[in-house]
Amino acid sequence: DTGVSQDPRHKITKRGQNVTFRCDPISEHNRLYWYRQTLGQGPEFLTYFQNEAQLEKSRLLSDRFSAERPKGSFSTLEIQRTEQGDSAMYLCASSEPIGYTFGSGTRLTVV
Amino acid sequence: AQKITQTQPGMFVQEKEAVTLDCTYDTSDPSYGLFWYKQPSSGEMIFLIYQGSYDQQNATEGRYSLNFQKARKSANLVISASQLGDSAMYFCAMRDSKNEKLTFGTGTRLTIIP
């Protein structure tokens, strides 16, 4: 296990389409986080899981966004009816009590 | 509410010189942690260094050190003997005891000049 994996690395989609991203955390980490990063900004928190339980959601996570972590392993982030404003880098991280390890992110472009 | 401020949008530094990246923070929680991450153009956030609010000494990790001034609420990153590979975005982040999430600043783009 070499780190946090995210798939795909890049996604181009037409406005109105649904997209789903996957994150595979470090296997022994029970906390998993999703962040969104727009151009020129730092990452912003979206949601986090402890094992399979989704414990916190940001108000940035509109009803078009849904995240799951079945069985407390990998996680998916789905965006329905994508809008141009959803274009961003979506970063996943998993953590031990102190440290956070990030994946390489999925760059979404909505055209 | 937590807030991180990075006032330097960009910096240019000659190779082999030391560089200081500024970070100030705001929180009402006495227990918090401060992080620095490096983000190259590939997009991955690479952890550099961590400082806990109760740590007595400034954190160091190789060429990275954190100049922690608690009374001023600042946590500046110092990179010694800069290298061309240090060119990247650098983000300061904080987590306090009430939140699991990290709050990030807007970052500083560091460019090392040969």
Side-chain angles (χ1 to χ4, degrees):
Chain A
D1 192 325
T2 56
V4 178
S5 298
Q6 291 190 246
D7 184 68
R9 289 295 309 274
H10 303 274
K11 178 72 176 178
I12 300 174
T13 191
K14 290 185 177 179
R15 189 174 49 188
Q17 297 293 305
N18 299 344
V19 293
T20 300
F21 311 140
R22 178 180 170 124
C23 171
D24 287 272
I26 292 173
S27 56
E28 57 266 30
H29 289 180
N30 59 16
R31 293 188 178 97
L32 184 148
Y33 306 79
W34 285 98
Y35 288 81
R36 181 174 71 184
Q37 185 179 20
T38 52
L39 208 59
Q41 300 296 317
E44 296 174 291
F45 170 78
L46 291 178
T47 188
Y48 104 92
F49 293 83
Q50 181 154 326
N51 299 313
E52 67 275 11
Q54 188 174 19
L55 296 186
E56 188 176 349
K57 291 195 292 186
S58 162
R59 56 185 170 78
L60 293 175
L61 214 66
S62 76
D63 56 4
R64 297 184 298 105
F65 287 69
S66 62
E68 295 182 342
R69 193 183 182 196
K71 303 177 184 176
S73 57
F74 71 91
S75 176
T76 58
L77 178 68
E78 181 184 16
I79 309 174
Q80 295 182 325
R81 305 181 304 281
T82 52
E83 301 172 357
Q84 286 190 319
D86 297 331
S87 294
M89 174 78 89
Y90 290 84
L91 291 161
C92 176
S94 67
S95 80
E96 304 167 88
I98 290 178
Y100 297 78
T101 302
F102 282 82
S104 297
T106 294
R107 187 173 296 280
L108 173 67
T109 303
V110 181
V111 298
Chain B
Q2 302 173 79
K3 186 176 171 61
I4 294 283
T5 303
Q6 294 180 255
T7 57
Q8 305 153 310
M11 288 192 69
F12 291 83
V13 172
Q14 204 75 37
E15 189 180 6
K16 299 180 185 175
E17 290 186 352
V19 56
T20 297
L21 305 181
D22 294 342
C23 172
T24 58
Y25 60 90
D26 190 25
T27 180
S28 57
D29 192 334
S31 177
Y32 52 89
L34 296 155
F35 301 77
W36 276 93
Y37 283 86
K38 172 184 178 181
Q39 188 177 42
S41 55
S42 59
E44 183 179 0
M45 299 287 283
I46 301 168
F47 168 75
L48 296 178
I49 197 166
Y50 168 82
Q51 179 85 43
S53 59
Y54 293 119
D55 293 345
Q56 294 297 311
Q57 293 191 325
N58 287 346
T60 60
E61 289 286 347
R63 294 188 299 113
Y64 304 109
S65 60
L66 202 150
N67 183 0
F68 181 45
Q69 298 188 44
K70 198 168 181 177
R72 293 187 177 184
K73 292 190 174 180
S74 77
N76 298 340
L77 177 70
V78 180
I79 306 174
S80 63
S82 57
Q83 302 171 356
L84 295 179
D86 294 334
S87 293
M89 284 291 291
Y90 288 80
F91 290 96
C92 180
M94 177 174 67
R95 184 190 70 187
D96 65 27
S97 64
K98 298 182 182 65
N99 291 284
E100 282 292 332
K101 63 190 181 192
L102 288 175
T103 298
F104 286 85
T106 52
T108 296
R109 181 172 297 281
L110 176 64
T111 303
I112 307 300
I113 305 165

